[in-house]
Structures are given as C-alpha cells and as structure tokens.
C-alpha cells in the first residue's frame, strides 16, 4: 500500500523548516530529496568500504568493487538492459549525452548529415549536438510543438529522411511535463536508419522504463533526480554501438595495454569509465533504485497524477494563472505564468512562505521562446508530495495575487 506519511518519514530534510515555515519542497525536477537509506549507503561506503575499485587485490578493494558492480546490475535490471556492460557510469545525464555526441558523433557524422532534436529539449540535449555539428558539418533540425506543448508528429515524420543520423528526444519535458511518444518515434527513426538517444532525466522517476522494449540506442539519466546522489548518472547504450565507438575520456581503468607507441582499450563498460569513479555515488544510486522498486513506479505514478490533477483544479481559483504545458500525456510538472507578475517575484514570495519551486527558463530557452515568455514558475512533484503541499502552494499563490494584483 502506498503510504505517503510513511514515505515522508524516510526523508530527513522534509522535517525541516525554511524561513520559519515547514519546508514544502516542490522543486523535484531540479533534484529530488534523498531517503535515509541512500544517505546511509553513501556514508556507509566511507565508514567501512572505502577503497579504489578494480585495482586492489586486497579485501577492501574487492568488497568496494563488488558493491560498485552490484549497483551496475541493479541499474541494468531496473531499465531492462540486455547486458550489464551496456551500463556506463557517468557524472549525470549531461555527461552521458556529451559522451555520445562526442564519441559517436565524431566517428560517424559528416557534412550533410542531420541530427533531429525536439523543440522541448533541455540544453543538455541541444548544446552537445551543436558542438559536434560545428565540428563535423552536420546540421540540426528541430521537431516543432504546438501551444499545448505537444510535439507535431506529422512534422516529425516529414523531417525524417535518410540524412537523419540521430534523433535526440526527451521522454518527459522538464519545462512542460509533456510525455513524448518515444516508442513510436524510435520506430519511425529506425525506419530511416537513424539512431535514437532518449533523455530519461525526467522520466526515470515517474514511469517504468524498459530500454529493450523501447529499442532505443542510447538512454541517459541522472542519479540525483531519482532520489540518489549528485555526481552520478548512467549512459545505457546498445553493446554493438558502444563497442564500435572510440573512448570519450582517457586515463586509468579504460586501457588494456599502454606503451608510448600505442595504447589499447579495455572492454565495456570500462572503456568509457576513465579514472576513479564516484564509487559511493554509484552504490547509493543502486540503493535509491531499490528504494523506488520497493514502493513501485506504478503506485508512484498514480499518486503523482492525483496531485497534478489536484493542482490543476486549484489553479482555476486564480484567473490570472496560465498553465504552460497542457499536453494530454503529462507528468508531474506544473509550470505556469501569472499575468502581471514576474515569475521570479512569484518564486521569492513562495520562498518566504517555505514553498520551494523553481523559476526561470529551466535550461529550456527554446520552450520559453516558443511561448514568448522569459520564464515560468514551476512546481514539480515527487512521490513524497501531498495535497497539503499543493494547498500550501496555492495559499502562497493567493498571497502573490493579493500583493501584486489587487
Ligand atoms: N535532461 C533533462 C530533460 C533535464 O531536465 C535535465 C536537468 C538534464 C537533462 C540535465 O541533468 P543533469 O543532472 O546532468 O544536470 N533538469 C533540470 C531542471 O529542470 N532544473 O534543474 C535541472
């Protein structure tokens, strides 16, 4: 049974106060809070397990390696990857996308090739492709969206051609909450011979992901948005593709043999894991996944959908409030503007009431450009949020209307 009070009890920070008020944390798309088991897993590593991985013959190093590699197995099963060596540890979604853009892109893109992105991508799934496009002569094409924040699939199909080499698509938009039909898009992209990178930074905590069923070529996410630590994330890639790609960074662990004349590289996944990794972070990410699995993504999604509906209903009590992002298939993000009030003023007043939301362009400036707004205020939900949190949000928003609009 989904028991939100019991879940909240596992997150120490949710008991804290901010500016003399109980913390109402609604900035989960930026980062989620951590349950005690994740905090303990991270500190336990330093308490009893701290040693470098894959190097020592001594017991501590072997135990640290076992715990680190066990986390890789947990991730493999969580996202349904066929092989454990398809799971590469990175610093986060951003580094994972840069790895693919740089390694795959430099080896495969040439002038005239096209990289297809959507208008609602986070900058992390735009700028790395721009850099590689400049270096290779490839071109970026953009799938447009409509006023509800839904991608135009007719345009998408019209943009696909034999020139398309890569589709980079977010599964869930961080600025709008739109859930994109990635399964369908992957199928269409594959029909023209393009590869697909799915940005799962905002989907991984709200819905079940199975990369084998999706048949995506690459999938990326960050640990810190999945109740895990910062500084650790994952690149999933199909084995044959990863095997064919040149290394991204070079150094220890990623080599097989080094001479000054020539070096040969380690097998997967280590070929892409140069240097000492964030060992504690990887282990604690494994714990975060076990935590999510113990509650169940289906129940989590159901709970969050109820809260999003509740927020949408409450929003009707404020006529000046306009929701940005009204796609039919949408999760967890309540992005809005209020006529006559700058989003930063909304954020500041909410903060004085202990309500943490994010205001700004959310690293999705093309979305702001489309709606001709500088920024939105964004409340984003996670499994520990409650109707009382939404009530607190709207009490504070009514204060905003009193201060600015009366
Ligand atoms: N992709 C998407 C869709 C994101 O929402 C984010 C971060 C990233 C990639 C990058 O993740 P990172 O962990 O590597 O930084 N999104 C947000 C956000 O919405 N507010 O702060 C960060």
């Amino acid at each position: 049974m989904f028991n939100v009070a019991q879940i909240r009890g596992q997150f120490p920070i949710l008991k804290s106060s901010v500016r003399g008020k109980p913390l109402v944390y609604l900035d989960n798309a930026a980062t989620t809070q951590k349950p005690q088991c994740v905090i303990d897993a991270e500190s336990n590593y330093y308490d009893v397990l701290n040693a470098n991985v894959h190097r020592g013959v001594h017991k501590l190093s072997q135990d640290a390696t076992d715990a680190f590699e066990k986390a890789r197995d947990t991730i493999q099963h969580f996202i349904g990857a066929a092989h454990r060596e398809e799971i590469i540890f990175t610093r986060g979604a951003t580094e994972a996308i840069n790895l693919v853009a740089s390694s795959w892109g430099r080896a495969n893109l040439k002038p005239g090739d096209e990289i297809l992105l959507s208008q609602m991508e986070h900058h992390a799934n735009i700028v790395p492709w721009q850099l590689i496009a400049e270096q290779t002569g490839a071109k970026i094409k953009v799938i447009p969206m409509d006023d509800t924040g839904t991608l135009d699939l007719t345009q998408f199909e019209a943009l696909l051609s034999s020139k398309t080499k890569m589709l980079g698509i977010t599964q869930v938009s961080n600025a709008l909450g739109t859930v994109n039909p990635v399964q369908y898009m992957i199928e269409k992209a594959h029909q023209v011979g393009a590869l697909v990178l799915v940005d799962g930074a905002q989907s991984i905590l709200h819905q079940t992901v199975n990369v084998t069923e999706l048949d995506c070529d690459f999938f990326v996410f960050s640990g810190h948005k999945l109740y895990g630590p910062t500084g650790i994330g994952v690149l999933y890639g199909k084995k044959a593709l990863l095997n064919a790609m040149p290394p991204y960074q070079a150094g220890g662990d990623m080599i097989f043999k080094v001479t000054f004349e020539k070096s040969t590289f380690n097998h997967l996944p280590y070929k892409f894991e140069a240097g000492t990794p964030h060992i504690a972070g990887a282990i604690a990410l494994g714990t975060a996944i076990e935590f999510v699995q113990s509650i169940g993504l289906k129940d989590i999604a159901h709970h969050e959908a109820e809260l999003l509906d509740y927020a949408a209903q409450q929003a009707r009590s404020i006529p000046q409030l306009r929701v940005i992002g009204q796609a039919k298939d949408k999760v967890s993000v309540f992005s809005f503007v209020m006529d006559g009030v700058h989003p930063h003023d909304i954020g500041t007043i909410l903060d004085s009431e202990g309500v943490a939301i994010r205001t700004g362009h959310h690293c999705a400036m093309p979305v702001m450009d489309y709606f001709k707004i500088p920024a939105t205020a964004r409340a984003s939900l996670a499994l520990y949020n409650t109707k009382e949190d939404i009530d607190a949000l709207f009490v504070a928003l009514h204060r905003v209307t009193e201060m600015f609009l009366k």
Side-chain angles (χ1 to χ4, degrees):
M1 274 300 287
F2 189 88
N3 180 337
V4 75
Q6 197 261 338
I7 291 169
R8 286 180 74 81
Q10 298 182 53
F11 287 79
I13 210 169
L14 297 180
K15 298 183 187 85
S16 60
S17 293
V18 168
R19 305 200 188 284
K21 307 267 169 67
L23 170 66
V24 175
Y25 188 75
L26 292 170
D27 194 15
N28 295 290
T31 197
T32 52
Q33 299 301 347
K34 320 304 169 201
Q36 190 64 53
C37 60
V38 168
I39 300 166
D40 288 348
E42 177 124 7
S43 74
N44 181 62
Y45 165 76
Y46 294 112
D47 275 349
V48 302
L49 218 53
N50 180 43
N52 213 328
V53 287
H54 306 135
R55 293 162 203 219
V57 289
H58 62 83
K59 173 87 169 79
L60 213 50
S61 174
Q62 286 172 9
D63 288 351
T65 304
D66 288 349
F68 180 73
E69 292 300 332
K70 180 173 163 277
R72 197 187 309 274
D73 293 336
T74 304
I75 294 162
Q76 179 204 342
H77 295 125
F78 184 57
I79 64 169
H83 308 282
R84 69 186 312 281
E85 59 268 38
E86 295 179 319
I87 305 299
I88 313 287
F89 284 116
T90 65
R91 282 198 300 122
T94 299
E95 188 179 51
I97 298 169
N98 275 278
L99 190 164
V100 177
S102 177
S103 166
W104 176 86
R106 233 179 300 147
N108 291 283
L109 292 171
K110 49 183 193 327
D113 286 347
E114 292 177 359
I115 302 159
L116 190 54
L117 306 174
S118 89
Q119 194 157 10
M120 64 180 78
E121 294 311 307
H122 185 280
H123 297 166
N125 204 21
I126 300 174
V127 187
W129 298 113
Q130 280 175 333
L131 293 181
I132 208 66
E134 273 165 28
Q135 288 168 28
T136 59
K139 286 207 162 43
I140 289 176
K141 298 273 168 170
V142 182
I143 311 162
M145 63 182 180
D146 67 16
D147 291 350
T148 66
T150 306
L151 288 182
D152 182 336
L153 292 181
T154 310
Q155 285 292 322
F156 161 63
E157 285 178 39
L159 282 161
L160 284 173
S161 76
S162 58
K163 287 190 210 157
T164 317
K165 299 297 174 216
M166 176 63 78
L167 166 65
I169 181 75
T170 195
Q171 195 164 18
V172 169
S173 155
N174 70 319
L176 304 164
T178 308
V179 180
N180 288 318
V182 292
Q183 178 115 43
Y184 174 80
M185 297 174 83
I186 291 164
E187 213 181 295
K188 288 284 164 196
H190 282 169
Q191 282 170 10
V192 297
L195 299 184
V196 183
L197 179 145
V198 175
D199 178 351
Q202 297 292 343
S203 58
I204 193 78
L205 70 164
H206 302 301
Q207 62 185 74
T208 306
V209 168
N210 185 306
V211 292
T212 306
E213 277 170 22
L214 281 177
D215 196 29
C216 54
D217 301 287
F218 301 102
F219 185 91
V220 307
F221 68 93
S222 293
H224 71 97
K225 295 189 202 279
L226 183 61
Y227 311 102
T230 56
I232 188 78
V234 170
L235 164 66
Y236 156 82
K238 282 183 183 163
K239 197 169 154 183
L241 293 168
L242 291 174
N243 265 327
M245 282 158 53
Y248 172 56
Q249 291 186 337
D253 250 16
M254 55 73 71
I255 50 82
F256 178 61
K257 186 170 168 42
V258 176
T259 67
F260 278 105
E261 287 69 43
K262 186 171 169 56
S263 299
T264 51
F265 306 123
N266 208 338
H267 55 79
L268 291 175
Y270 312 110
K271 184 172 94 173
F272 291 109
E273 291 181 356
T276 301
H278 184 5
I279 306 165
I283 294 169
L285 173 55
T287 305
I289 289 173
E290 285 161 5
F291 167 78
V292 167
Q293 285 173 322
S294 74
I295 299 168
L297 274 162
K298 222 171 139 205
D299 285 356
I300 294 171
H302 181 73
H303 172 73
E304 292 171 348
E306 271 184 6
L307 291 180
L308 193 62
D309 276 356
Y310 186 63
Q313 279 167 32
Q314 299 265 14
R316 295 194 197 113
S317 64
I318 304 178
Q320 298 90 346
L321 187 153
R322 179 158 60 99
V323 178
I324 302 293
Q326 309 215 40
K328 273 207 195 82
D329 200 0
K330 169 177 171 171
V331 287
S332 178
V333 171
F334 184 71
S335 225
F336 60 95
V337 290
M338 283 167 80
D339 297 335
V341 196
H342 194 281
H344 291 306
D345 291 329
I346 301 176
T348 307
I349 292 168
L350 264 55
D351 177 54
S352 70
E353 299 289 321
V355 179
I357 62 158
R358 180 156 178 204
T359 61
H361 52 65
H362 316 297
C363 299
M365 281 187 187
V367 171
M368 303 300 125
D369 289 347
Y370 175 84
F371 287 100
K372 301 191 173 54
I373 49 178
T376 75
R378 181 190 70 182
S380 51
L381 309 168
L383 62 87
Y384 40 64
N385 288 123
T386 59
K387 285 194 174 165
E388 289 72 29
D389 289 342
I390 308 288
D391 289 339
L393 168 69
F394 279 91
V395 166
L397 285 176
H398 280 289
R399 231 177 103 65
V400 173
T401 60
E402 277 157 29
M403 288 176 74
F404 283 87
L405 302 170
K406 291 220 165 118

